[in-house]
Amino acid sequence: MNSYSYSNVNGSLSIGGLVGSNSYGDVLNSYSVSNVFGVNDVGGLVGSNANSDVLNSHSSSNIFGVNDVGGLVGSNYGEAGSDTYVKDSYSNSYVNGTRRIGGLIGSNIGYMYSSYIINSYSNSDVFGDEDVGGLVGLNSGDTDYSMGAVIENSFSVSNNVSGNTNIGGLVGHNSIVTYSLITNSQYFNSTNNPSLGIGLDANAQSINSQNLVDYFYNVSNSPIVSNWNLSVWNFTGSDLPSLSSV
């Protein structure tokens, strides 16, 4: 809570600018401005987030990894115990990896419990090979436990999203019919981004795009209107929203 990091971090598994592995705990009102190097589960703020919450936090970091690499969180995982949330958070980072690479979160996985991304955004440059998204690389629920991977009221204004397989302006790969849910979320369709909002989508959803980034400056526009807490977010009308408490 109320923590920050300006650091260079180097490791292998669950590597984050502030927290490596966050399990059964909360990261609140925190931020990272770091250089983070790892292999699996690598994030600008948190490497792996399981059964835990990341709230009112942000990252402006450079992140390099291989699998499950994100500007804010490497992997967001609903495992045994409780649902997992990333809410009211954003990333303004440079993200580079191979598989499951996202501007905000590399992989959002619902397993024994659900995983949620709510009222959050990415303004990151994202480069990878497979399952690469401006907001999330892989969004995947679970049929055995009927648990969802959910993205709500969120957006990506990433100006550079690049890869080879399953590349999306919002999500690279939305996997598992019924349990991988994306609602009221949009992306900035710049010339440097893929034309698809979701690179590969099991649910064949239609994702709205915007051609002007300043659409997302306006609190009256979807997905922000009526959904985002204006005591948490600061809107100037001339730039992307920032967090009031961080």
Side-chain angles (χ1 to χ4, degrees):
M1 178 182 289
N2 302 323
S3 300
Y4 64 88
S5 172
Y6 290 83
S7 57
N8 294 303
V9 186
N10 199 321
S12 179
L13 176 64
S14 297
I15 310 300
L18 181 69
V19 177
S21 178
N22 186 41
S23 183
Y24 298 100
D26 293 337
V27 176
L28 174 65
N29 297 338
S30 298
Y31 69 91
S32 172
V33 182
S34 300
N35 296 306
V36 186
F37 303 86
V39 180
N40 299 325
D41 301 332
V42 187
L45 186 75
V46 176
S48 61
N49 188 57
N51 317 308
S52 307
D53 299 334
V54 175
L55 308 171
N56 304 0
S57 297
H58 67 91
S59 168
S60 297
S61 300
N62 298 305
I63 306 102
F64 301 86
V66 179
N67 301 312
D68 306 296
V69 183
L72 185 78
V73 174
S75 63
N76 192 50
Y77 196 68
E79 202 177 19
S82 64
D83 293 336
T84 296
Y85 287 85
V86 171
K87 184 177 180 181
D88 294 321
S89 298
Y90 70 91
S91 171
N92 182 18
S93 299
Y94 176 93
V95 188
N96 195 305
T98 303
R99 288 175 293 276
R100 301 178 296 279
I101 314 301
L104 186 77
I105 294 177
S107 58
N108 186 48
I109 307 295
Y111 177 46
M112 296 178 73
Y113 282 79
S114 294
S115 57
Y116 293 87
I117 301 167
I118 301 174
N119 299 3
S120 298
Y121 76 88
S122 166
N123 184 28
S124 301
D125 291 332
V126 189
F127 302 92
D129 180 54
E130 181 179 354
D131 296 347
V132 183
L135 188 76
V136 175
L138 172 66
N139 190 58
S140 181
D142 185 85
T143 55
D144 292 336
Y145 291 96
S146 302
M147 291 298 159
V150 181
I151 301 172
E152 294 180 358
N153 309 331
S154 297
F155 64 88
S156 170
V157 290
S158 299
N159 191 47
N160 288 287
V161 180
S162 179
N164 292 310
T165 306
N166 304 340
I167 317 302
L170 187 73
V171 174
H173 185 185
N174 192 52
S175 174
I176 308 299
V177 174
T178 305
Y179 297 108
S180 302
L181 308 174
I182 302 173
T183 61
N184 196 33
S185 298
Q186 302 188 21
Y187 73 104
F188 171 47
N189 187 22
S190 84
T191 56
N192 297 320
N193 286 343
S195 59
L196 294 174
I198 303 174
L200 178 63
D201 187 12
N203 290 315
Q205 299 169 94
S206 178
I207 301 299
N208 290 335
S209 65
Q210 300 296 331
N211 295 324
L212 297 174
V213 69
D214 58 8
Y215 172 91
F216 299 100
Y217 299 174
N218 191 335
V219 70
S220 299
N221 290 335
S222 177
I224 299 160
V225 61
S226 302
N227 298 302
W228 288 36
N229 188 338
L230 299 187
S231 67
V232 172
W233 291 96
N234 178 40
F235 285 84
T236 65
S238 59
D239 205 346
L240 292 168
S242 60
L243 290 165
S244 302
S245 59
V246 188

